[in-house]
Amino acid sequence: MRVGVPKEITDGERRVALVPEVIRKMAAKGFEFVVEPGAGSDAMLSDEAYEEAGATVGDGVWGAEVVVKVAAPTDEEIAKLGDSTVLVGFLGPLTNAHTTSALAEAGATAFAMESIPRISRAQSMDALSSQSNVAGYKSVLLATQHTGRFFPMMMTAAGTVPPARVLVLGAGVAGLQAIATARRLGAQVTGYDVRAAVAEQVQSLGAAFLELEAGKGAEGEGGYARELTDEEKAAQQTELADKIATFDVVITTALVPGRRAPILVTARSVEKMKPGSVIVDLAGESGGNCELTEPGEVVVKHDVTIVSPLNLPATMPEHASALYARNVQSLLELLVDDDGELQLNFDDEIIKGACITREGEIVHAGAQKAVDAAAPAPAEPETEGAE
Ligand SMILES: NC(=O)c1ccc[n+]([C@@H]2O[C@H](COP(=O)([O-])OP(=O)(O)OC[C@H]3O[C@@H](n4cnc5c(N)ncnc54)[C@H](O)[C@@H]3O)[C@@H](O)[C@H]2O)c1
């Protein structure tokens, strides 16, 4: 099977979908690769490194049997896809209706990394996890940059400095990595989540777990949290407000698939924080977990710095690409038969679950729902005498 690796063109996207190390292993198994010149340059991967690994560097990327990407394709990229080329990447099926519609119109068959079912057989393909790990780690480093305080306790001749108090809201993959990283830096860490199973995971990292009554046990489908009701949201915000004020750093990572991110830190909570405190809001792409967040910006409100980075994994392109490439490798190995030829077995739960469009038809219920929701409402029929 021939696989194309384009250079990412989305602003700020420095990752690449496959790295030479993975290409070398797959080439040994009979896969062929064509890589666009410069595809890995932002991740410090030279064209020569790809060639040495066995890839061809040059034209013809978009006409390969499978094209692997990181970011969702632009309309121009979709127009370049070959007639029967299969596309793989982060396609944002639950939120990015435009991409789904454009892929369908182009007659494409496309697989979204986000939609790979989170079953144990698919763990090696779990790109949401591999990239959330990067984001969780980096969020703590951002917090250290923006705070004027130490993270660890310091006992010096000039006196003792207490450790920073860090609160991590949302303890999924990114949150747990943030907790572990803040702990390694010596902070006193507390974690919180609405899913009951998380308490033990937070504590096993040496952090305290914040117990709240509101939203307790709000498990949804597939291991995710469900959206809280309006009453639960209000109660959660009120309970959190007093707690938040006691921390120096708050890192927020709470998400509900396909929904606006829940507001956990209200404007009132920010106002109550100590001057100089820092909030790092990782949910900016979904609207933010803090009411005063401006996605993509660093703002100071009520003497609190609120940082909301977008696409944080792209700021660590070397390791983020290396991990993503291994996820892509596992998926690609599932898309071939014993002879190494492309064969899409739609009876396989992973292939079926990750497929968004199949030869132009939208086959993913969540993606179809997002497309329907984005469609303009049909015009009201004109009635006689209407003004
Ligand atoms: N292959 C696998 O089996 C596999 C791999 C990775 C993760 N998982 C599981 O998937 C689940 C989701 O992980 P994720 O990191 O992708 O989640 P996510 O990115 O969707 O959300 C991040 C966290 O926010 C929490 N959250 C949502 N609403 C909240 C609210 N109102 N208040 C507080 N917290 C809130 C969620 O519970 C989650 O822990 C976890 O159970 C994780 O263990 C499974």
Side-chain angles (χ1 to χ4, degrees):
M1 182 170 85
R2 196 166 168 82
V3 181
V5 185
K7 178 164 178 60
E8 297 294 323
I9 56 169
T10 305
D11 266 357
E13 185 51 79
R14 295 163 64 202
R15 292 169 292 177
V16 59
L18 281 176
V19 300
E21 178 210 350
V22 166
I23 287 186
R24 180 173 290 111
K25 285 190 205 139
M26 295 183 75
K29 294 182 189 170
F31 285 84
E32 289 172 26
F33 296 93
V34 54
V35 176
E36 189 171 336
S41 59
D42 288 342
M44 301 299 136
L45 300 165
S46 66
D47 290 349
E48 292 72 35
Y50 279 99
E51 273 169 342
E52 276 165 26
T56 305
V57 174
D59 298 335
V61 171
W62 294 94
E65 286 168 277
V66 179
V67 167
V68 289
K69 272 192 54 61
V70 182
T74 63
D75 289 352
E76 291 73 31
E77 287 178 322
I78 291 173
K80 289 194 262 182
L81 280 172
D83 276 351
S84 54
T85 300
V86 171
L87 178 75
V88 171
F90 278 121
L91 307 179
L94 302 186
T95 47
N96 192 349
H98 177 83
T99 300
T100 303
S101 303
L103 286 166
E105 274 164 36
T109 296
F111 293 92
M113 293 303 285
E114 300 96 322
S115 300
I116 292 175
R118 281 179 136 174
I119 55 175
S120 22
R121 187 163 62 90
Q123 259 179 11
S124 59
M125 306 171 202
D126 189 346
L128 280 179
S129 287
S130 72
Q131 304 305 295
S132 294
N133 246 312
V134 178
Y137 167 81
K138 192 71 189 272
S139 67
V140 176
L141 302 191
L142 282 178
T144 64
Q145 269 173 26
H146 288 278
T147 175
R149 302 169 196 168
F150 284 117
F151 263 41
M153 182 166 91
M154 288 277 177
M155 293 171 84
T156 76
T160 299
V161 177
R165 284 174 52 78
V166 174
L167 174 64
V168 177
L169 299 176
V173 180
L176 290 172
Q177 184 54 252
I179 290 171
T181 306
R183 285 278 302 147
R184 284 185 202 116
L185 285 175
Q188 214 176 69
V189 187
T190 301
Y192 165 71
D193 202 289
V194 283
R195 289 184 298 115
V198 173
E200 212 175 296
Q201 295 167 12
V202 167
Q203 284 155 353
S204 74
L205 293 170
F209 186 74
L210 179 65
E211 290 269 2
L212 296 187
E213 277 315 307
K216 207 171 179 175
E219 259 67 30
E221 278 171 25
Y224 292 103
R226 67 166 169 80
E227 190 174 27
L228 302 187
T229 63
D230 287 348
E231 292 75 33
E232 286 172 326
K233 283 181 194 166
Q236 186 188 43
Q237 289 169 355
T238 309
E239 269 191 84
L240 273 173
D242 289 332
K243 310 279 184 200
I244 286 170
T246 66
F247 289 89
D248 304 301
V249 169
V250 177
I251 294 174
T252 71
T253 74
L255 292 174
V256 178
R259 306 267 172 198
R260 191 213 180 282
I263 299 272
L264 303 180
V265 184
T266 57
R268 178 85 189 105
S269 300
V270 176
E271 217 173 310
K272 283 174 142 182
M273 291 177 86
K274 281 172 288 191
S277 300
V278 174
I279 297 171
V280 179
D281 187 346
L282 287 196
E285 273 149 53
S286 305
N289 289 140
C290 172
E291 201 176 353
L292 300 182
T293 286
E294 293 179 21
E297 305 292 333
V298 178
V299 293
V300 179
K301 303 274 168 97
H302 308 295
D303 292 328
V304 174
T305 303
I306 306 170
V307 188
S308 174
L310 302 178
N311 198 4
L312 210 39
T315 65
M316 291 191 55
E318 293 177 56
H319 275 151
S321 301
L323 297 174
Y324 183 68
R326 285 182 215 151
N327 300 141
V328 170
Q329 173 187 4
S330 296
L331 178 63
L332 290 178
E333 288 176 351
L334 198 66
L335 304 186
V336 293
D337 62 16
D338 292 343
D339 299 323
E341 301 297 330
L342 178 66
Q343 190 185 56
L344 303 178
N345 172 13
F346 285 97
D347 291 332
D348 185 306
E349 180 181 7
I350 298 173
I351 296 180
K352 185 166 182 276
C355 190
I356 303 305
T357 60
R358 185 173 172 186
E359 290 169 14
E361 191 191 337
I362 302 173
V363 291
H364 185 274
Q368 181 65 61
K369 204 170 153 196
V371 167
D372 292 344
E380 291 282 323
E382 276 186 33
T383 47
E384 237 173 275
E387 291 191 7

